Amino acid sequence: NAGVTQTPKFRVLKTGQSMTLLCAQDMNHEYMYWYRQDPGMGLRLIHYSVGEGTTAKGEVPDGYNVSRLKKQNFLLGLESAAPSQTSVYFCASRDNDSPLHFGNGTRLTVT
Amino acid sequence: ILNVEQSPQSLHVQEGDSTNFTCSFPSSNFYALHWYRWETAKSPEALFVMTLNGDEKKKGRISATLNTKEGYSYLYIKGSQPEDSATYLCAFWVNDYKLSFGAGTTVTVRA
Protein backbone atom coordinates (compact mmCIF):
# COMPACT_ATOMS: atom_id res chain seq x y z
CA ASN A 1 0.00 0.00 0.00
CA ALA A 2 1.48 3.30 -1.09
CA GLY A 3 -0.96 5.40 0.98
CA VAL A 4 -0.32 9.09 0.31
CA THR A 5 2.55 9.91 -2.05
CA GLN A 6 3.96 13.38 -2.54
CA THR A 7 6.27 14.48 -5.32
CA PRO A 8 8.80 15.97 -5.39
CA LYS A 9 10.46 15.42 -2.02
CA PHE A 10 12.69 18.49 -2.33
CA ARG A 11 12.75 21.54 -4.55
CA VAL A 12 14.62 24.81 -4.73
CA LEU A 13 12.99 27.66 -6.62
CA LYS A 14 14.01 31.18 -7.43
CA THR A 15 11.63 34.01 -6.57
CA GLY A 16 9.01 34.34 -9.27
CA GLN A 17 9.26 30.79 -10.58
CA SER A 18 6.26 28.51 -10.61
CA MET A 19 5.82 24.88 -9.69
CA THR A 20 3.23 22.23 -8.92
CA LEU A 21 3.31 19.80 -6.04
CA LEU A 22 1.53 16.53 -6.64
CA CYS A 23 -0.29 14.48 -4.04
CA ALA A 24 -1.67 11.05 -4.89
CA GLN A 25 -3.61 8.69 -2.64
CA ASP A 26 -4.66 5.13 -3.37
CA MET A 27 -7.19 4.71 -0.54
CA ASN A 28 -10.20 6.11 -2.40
CA HIS A 29 -10.49 8.88 0.19
CA GLU A 30 -12.95 11.69 -0.40
CA TYR A 31 -11.18 14.44 1.51
CA MET A 32 -7.73 15.78 0.72
CA TYR A 33 -5.72 18.57 2.32
CA TRP A 34 -2.60 20.63 1.82
CA TYR A 35 -0.79 21.92 4.92
CA ARG A 36 2.40 23.86 5.40
CA GLN A 37 4.62 23.42 8.41
CA ASP A 38 6.81 26.22 9.71
CA PRO A 39 8.87 26.29 12.92
CA GLY A 40 6.75 27.23 15.93
CA MET A 41 3.60 27.51 13.81
CA GLY A 42 2.32 23.96 13.67
CA LEU A 43 0.50 22.73 10.61
CA ARG A 44 -1.54 25.38 8.81
CA LEU A 45 -4.20 24.49 6.27
CA ILE A 46 -3.67 25.97 2.81
CA HIS A 47 -6.50 24.44 0.76
CA TYR A 48 -8.66 21.38 0.98
CA SER A 49 -11.05 19.33 -1.12
CA VAL A 50 -14.16 17.44 -0.08
CA GLY A 51 -14.42 15.48 -3.30
CA GLU A 52 -13.44 15.26 -6.94
CA GLY A 53 -13.88 18.58 -8.69
CA THR A 54 -14.20 20.61 -5.46
CA THR A 55 -11.71 22.83 -3.64
CA ALA A 56 -11.91 25.30 -0.76
CA LYS A 57 -9.64 27.78 0.99
CA GLY A 58 -8.04 27.04 4.31
CA GLU A 59 -6.26 29.37 6.74
CA VAL A 60 -3.39 30.52 4.51
CA PRO A 61 -4.50 30.22 0.84
CA ASP A 62 -2.87 33.34 -0.61
CA GLY A 63 -0.24 32.62 -3.26
CA TYR A 64 -1.45 29.07 -3.85
CA ASN A 65 -3.93 27.40 -6.16
CA VAL A 66 -5.19 23.83 -6.15
CA SER A 67 -7.02 21.41 -8.38
CA ARG A 68 -8.74 18.06 -7.83
CA LEU A 69 -9.57 16.85 -11.33
CA LYS A 70 -9.29 13.21 -10.27
CA LYS A 71 -10.34 11.80 -6.92
CA GLN A 72 -6.93 10.33 -6.21
CA ASN A 73 -4.90 13.46 -7.00
CA PHE A 74 -4.69 16.86 -5.34
CA LEU A 75 -2.32 19.37 -6.93
CA LEU A 76 -0.89 22.44 -5.20
CA GLY A 77 0.41 25.20 -7.45
CA LEU A 78 2.62 28.17 -6.78
CA GLU A 79 2.28 30.63 -9.66
CA SER A 80 5.01 33.05 -8.56
CA ALA A 81 7.07 31.72 -5.69
CA ALA A 82 8.12 34.03 -2.86
CA PRO A 83 10.68 33.46 -0.08
CA SER A 84 7.77 33.45 2.42
CA GLN A 85 6.64 30.21 0.80
CA THR A 86 9.78 28.42 1.94
CA SER A 87 8.31 25.65 4.03
CA VAL A 88 7.62 21.96 4.33
CA TYR A 89 4.37 21.02 2.62
CA PHE A 90 2.28 18.05 3.70
CA CYS A 91 -0.60 16.50 1.86
CA ALA A 92 -3.15 14.42 3.75
CA SER A 93 -6.29 12.49 2.98
CA ARG A 94 -9.07 10.90 4.96
CA ASP A 95 -12.44 9.29 4.71
CA ASN A 96 -15.50 9.90 6.87
CA ASP A 97 -14.75 9.67 10.61
CA SER A 98 -11.15 8.61 10.00
CA PRO A 99 -7.97 10.44 11.03
CA LEU A 100 -5.70 12.06 8.48
CA HIS A 101 -3.19 10.00 6.52
CA PHE A 102 -0.17 12.11 5.67
CA GLY A 103 2.34 12.02 2.86
CA ASN A 104 6.05 12.29 3.61
CA GLY A 105 6.27 15.98 2.86
CA THR A 106 7.89 18.24 0.28
CA ARG A 107 10.65 20.56 1.43
CA LEU A 108 10.54 23.73 -0.67
CA THR A 109 13.12 26.50 -0.56
CA VAL A 110 12.56 29.76 -2.40
CA THR A 111 15.64 31.91 -2.83
CA ILE B 1 -8.85 30.22 12.86
CA LEU B 2 -9.60 28.48 16.14
CA ASN B 3 -7.08 28.59 18.94
CA VAL B 4 -5.76 25.15 19.78
CA GLU B 5 -3.03 25.43 22.39
CA GLN B 6 -0.61 22.80 23.55
CA SER B 7 1.59 23.00 26.63
CA PRO B 8 4.33 22.71 27.36
CA GLN B 9 6.04 23.41 24.02
CA SER B 10 8.75 20.90 24.90
CA LEU B 11 9.76 18.64 27.72
CA HIS B 12 12.61 16.32 28.62
CA VAL B 13 11.90 13.07 30.40
CA GLN B 14 14.20 10.52 31.94
CA GLU B 15 13.79 7.02 30.56
CA GLY B 16 11.33 5.11 32.70
CA ASP B 17 9.55 8.21 34.00
CA SER B 18 5.95 9.01 33.14
CA THR B 19 4.79 12.31 31.77
CA ASN B 20 1.73 14.12 30.50
CA PHE B 21 0.89 17.24 28.57
CA THR B 22 -2.14 19.25 27.58
CA CYS B 23 -4.17 20.30 24.59
CA SER B 24 -6.77 23.02 25.10
CA PHE B 25 -9.43 23.92 22.58
CA PRO B 26 -12.67 25.88 22.31
CA SER B 27 -15.33 24.06 24.31
CA SER B 28 -18.26 25.22 22.20
CA ASN B 29 -19.39 23.29 19.11
CA PHE B 30 -17.12 20.35 19.79
CA TYR B 31 -16.94 17.81 16.98
CA ALA B 32 -13.84 15.65 17.50
CA LEU B 33 -10.23 15.79 18.66
CA HIS B 34 -7.28 13.93 17.21
CA TRP B 35 -3.84 13.18 18.60
CA TYR B 36 -0.93 12.58 16.24
CA ARG B 37 2.62 11.49 16.83
CA TRP B 38 5.29 13.05 14.62
CA GLU B 39 8.77 11.62 14.61
CA THR B 40 11.67 13.55 13.13
CA ALA B 41 12.02 13.13 9.35
CA LYS B 42 8.70 11.29 9.15
CA SER B 43 5.10 12.34 8.66
CA PRO B 44 2.48 12.61 11.42
CA GLU B 45 0.70 9.40 12.35
CA ALA B 46 -2.64 9.21 14.07
CA LEU B 47 -2.72 8.03 17.69
CA PHE B 48 -6.27 8.66 18.82
CA VAL B 49 -9.59 9.96 17.57
CA MET B 50 -11.71 11.23 20.46
CA THR B 51 -15.31 12.25 20.15
CA LEU B 52 -17.14 11.94 23.47
CA ASN B 53 -16.75 13.83 26.72
CA GLY B 54 -14.99 11.55 29.17
CA ASP B 55 -13.40 9.47 26.42
CA GLU B 56 -10.28 7.60 27.43
CA LYS B 57 -8.13 5.94 24.78
CA LYS B 58 -5.06 3.78 25.21
CA LYS B 59 -2.38 2.47 22.87
CA GLY B 60 0.37 0.60 24.62
CA ARG B 61 1.97 2.96 27.13
CA ILE B 62 0.28 6.04 25.69
CA SER B 63 -3.21 7.13 26.72
CA ALA B 64 -5.40 10.17 26.36
CA THR B 65 -8.41 11.68 28.09
CA LEU B 66 -10.94 14.19 26.88
CA ASN B 67 -13.01 16.86 28.64
CA THR B 68 -15.15 18.64 26.08
CA LYS B 69 -17.02 20.77 28.62
CA GLU B 70 -13.90 22.51 29.83
CA GLY B 71 -12.03 22.19 26.54
CA TYR B 72 -8.94 20.13 27.26
CA SER B 73 -7.34 16.79 26.54
CA TYR B 74 -4.38 15.18 28.27
CA LEU B 75 -1.91 12.79 26.69
CA TYR B 76 -0.03 10.49 29.06
CA ILE B 77 3.11 8.47 28.43
CA LYS B 78 3.80 5.82 31.04
CA GLY B 79 7.36 4.56 31.56
CA SER B 80 8.87 6.69 28.77
CA GLN B 81 11.26 5.03 26.36
CA PRO B 82 13.67 6.66 23.88
CA GLU B 83 11.41 5.61 21.01
CA ASP B 84 8.68 7.83 22.50
CA SER B 85 10.73 10.89 21.53
CA ALA B 86 8.59 12.80 19.04
CA THR B 87 6.36 15.81 18.65
CA TYR B 88 2.79 15.13 19.71
CA LEU B 89 0.14 17.14 17.92
CA CYS B 90 -3.45 17.61 18.86
CA ALA B 91 -5.98 18.71 16.29
CA PHE B 92 -9.48 20.06 16.76
CA TRP B 93 -12.16 19.56 14.13
CA VAL B 94 -13.69 22.90 13.23
CA ASN B 95 -16.41 21.13 11.28
CA ASP B 96 -16.66 18.01 9.17
CA TYR B 97 -13.99 19.27 6.81
CA LYS B 98 -11.41 21.37 8.57
CA LEU B 99 -8.92 20.39 11.22
CA SER B 100 -7.01 23.01 13.24
CA PHE B 101 -3.68 21.86 14.68
CA GLY B 102 -1.87 22.91 17.81
CA ALA B 103 1.85 23.74 17.58
CA GLY B 104 2.76 20.48 19.32
CA THR B 105 4.62 19.28 22.39
CA THR B 106 8.09 17.93 21.64
CA VAL B 107 9.08 15.12 23.98
CA THR B 108 12.71 14.08 24.36
CA VAL B 109 13.36 10.94 26.38
CA ARG B 110 16.86 10.72 27.83
CA ALA B 111 18.37 7.30 28.29
Side-chain angles (χ1 to χ4, degrees):
Chain A
N1 268 346
V4 179
T5 304
Q6 289 182 234
T7 53
K9 289 187 171 65
F10 305 94
R11 185 73 186 268
V12 178
L13 288 179
K14 292 184 178 179
T15 297
Q17 287 185 318
S18 63
M19 78 163 292
T20 300
L21 282 67
L22 172 63
C23 176
Q25 53 96 2
D26 62 2
M27 297 171 282
N28 202 37
H29 284 170
E30 287 293 335
Y31 307 109
M32 296 188 74
Y33 303 81
W34 276 107
Y35 287 90
R36 60 178 289 172
Q37 189 254 332
D38 302 292
M41 303 285 289
L43 289 165
R44 292 183 294 167
L45 182 64
I46 305 171
H47 286 280
Y48 64 100
S49 168
V50 301
E52 181 179 314
T54 74
T55 63
K57 294 180 180 180
E59 302 169 54
V60 288
D62 294 342
Y64 305 96
N65 56 76
V66 286
S67 64
R68 183 109 181 261
L69 298 179
K70 293 183 179 180
K71 186 176 184 179
Q72 63 267 33
N73 295 336
F74 194 29
L75 278 63
L76 178 71
L78 286 74
E79 289 186 348
S80 179
S84 60
Q85 293 177 305
T86 294
S87 188
V88 181
Y89 293 86
F90 285 93
C91 175
S93 71
R94 72 172 183 98
D95 218 338
N96 287 329
D97 297 326
S98 77
L100 295 178
H101 296 257
F102 285 87
N104 287 328
T106 295
R107 185 173 295 276
L108 175 67
T109 302
V110 183
T111 60
Chain B
I1 300 171
L2 292 185
N3 204 14
V4 181
E5 295 185 355
Q6 291 188 245
S7 64
Q9 186 176 354
S10 64
L11 59 91
H12 291 79
V13 188
Q14 198 66 34
E15 182 177 358
D17 287 351
S18 297
T19 188
N20 65 84
F21 38 93
T22 310
C23 171
S24 62
F25 53 87
S27 56
S28 59
N29 298 319
F30 179 82
Y31 188 79
L33 188 90
H34 291 189
W35 280 101
Y36 292 83
R37 172 195 166 92
W38 194 356
E39 293 181 70
T40 303
K42 295 187 178 179
S43 54
E45 291 184 347
L47 281 172
F48 304 117
V49 176
M50 309 185 80
T51 56
L52 298 175
N53 185 43
D55 251 357
E56 291 187 26
K57 302 271 185 172
K58 188 174 180 182
K59 189 174 185 177
R61 293 178 291 96
I62 300 177
S63 60
T65 60
L66 178 68
N67 183 322
T68 61
K69 294 184 179 179
E70 296 184 33
Y72 64 83
S73 176
Y74 289 124
L75 193 96
Y76 299 88
I77 304 176
K78 184 178 178 182
S80 303
Q81 299 297 309
E83 58 265 30
D84 295 328
S85 295
T87 296
Y88 293 83
L89 299 174
C90 73
F92 174 75
W93 279 105
V94 175
N95 53 37
D96 193 35
Y97 309 131
K98 292 196 291 186
L99 192 61
S100 181
F101 280 87
T105 293
T106 299
V107 175
T108 304
V109 181
R110 297 178 289 213

